[in-house]
Amino acid sequence: MATSTERNVQFSAPTWLRDLGFSSWLLVGFVLVIVGLIWLLGETSTIVMPVILATVLGAVAGPAVGRLERHGVPRAGGAVLVLLGLVAIGVLIFCLVFGGISAHAGDISAKMDKSLDKIQGWLSDLGIDNSQSAKEGVQEAAPKIRTTLLSGVAAGIDGLKSLVFFLAFATMSALFVLKDGPVMHRFINRHMGVPEPDANIVTTNIAKSLRSYFLAVTIIAAFNAILIGGAALILGVPLAGTIAVVTFVGPTCPS
């Protein structure tokens, strides 16, 4: 009789072990989902990255379109004007940077030597004995800098087709986001799975956070550009304005 009772007793794992196994499978599933999303984004990056850029631009520049709309400009027209302004700023920056480099390429080495002489004199006045070796090291690196720059430009030309597609797709996406931003905002609010007023608070705060982030980055980039550009101007480094522009634009561009 005891043997029959023992056979009817079923093994039951402890509760803590069942909870641990369940949590482990949830963790495995979560990791698989993240890996799958990363793989999918990598495979579709040609389309996803311009859309992400357009979304960021729409969130940051959307208030400008709304302000134009309140002054009687149709939203489509305001979106076009804001987008043209962004494109004009991009073209202006491109012309300032590459135009300055090509126009003063011959004077860079000569003026760099003069700047290095100034730095060497300042270091000597401070009692630093290694100023001469530092100057020689920079002089040796200067030709390599130009070679690296030219190599980077050549590599950029090779990828021109991808760049043109990226810019064209991002421009069209940004135009639609700027034009239909409020419609997309309401659509997202209705389909977030929470009450629409709560969803509106969440999405609005996300957009405000993005704008605040880029405002802070712009302020810091402007400070760095003034500091570095001013130092380059004092030292007599060529293309001080171009250096300041690159310093300002680099951190502010969405990546």
Side-chain angles (χ1 to χ4, degrees), residues 161-174:
K161 290 175 61 176
S162 299
L163 178 62
V164 170
F165 175 81
F166 176 87
L167 293 177
F169 198 85
T171 302
M172 294 300 299
S173 301

Side-chain angles (χ1 to χ4, degrees), residues 214-240:
F214 279 102
L215 176 61
V217 170
T218 302
I219 294 174
I220 295 173
F223 174 78
N224 292 335
I226 294 172
L227 184 63
I228 296 176
L233 187 63
I234 293 173
L235 293 174
V237 177
L239 303 176

Side-chain angles (χ1 to χ4, degrees), residues 134-146:
K135 176 183 176 181
E136 294 176 355
V138 175
Q139 288 176 333
E140 292 177 359
K144 298 179 181 179
I145 295 174
R146 185 174 181 181

Side-chain angles (χ1 to χ4, degrees), residues 91-161:
V91 172
L92 177 62
I93 292 172
F94 179 85
C95 293
L96 286 175
V97 173
F98 288 94
I101 291 175
S102 61
H104 298 84
D107 299 334
I108 291 178
S109 297
K111 291 186 177 181
M112 183 178 292
D113 289 336
K114 294 180 181 179
S115 301
L116 290 173
D117 290 335
K118 288 183 179 180
I119 295 175
Q120 182 182 0
W122 292 350
L123 294 176
S124 299
D125 294 338
L126 293 174
I128 299 176
D129 299 330
N130 294 329
S131 58
Q132 181 63 33
S133 60
K135 176 183 176 181
E136 294 176 355
V138 175
Q139 288 176 333
E140 292 177 359
K144 298 179 181 179
I145 295 174
R146 185 174 181 181
T147 303
T148 303
L149 178 62
L150 295 176
S151 300
V153 172
I157 294 175
D158 291 336
L160 187 60
K161 290 175 61 176

Side-chain angles (χ1 to χ4, degrees), residues 195-217:
E196 191 168 343
D198 297 338
N200 183 63
I201 294 174
V202 172
T203 53
T204 301
N205 287 337
I206 290 175
K208 288 181 179 179
S209 298
L210 275 175
R211 289 192 288 270
S212 299
Y213 166 77
F214 279 102
L215 176 61
V217 170

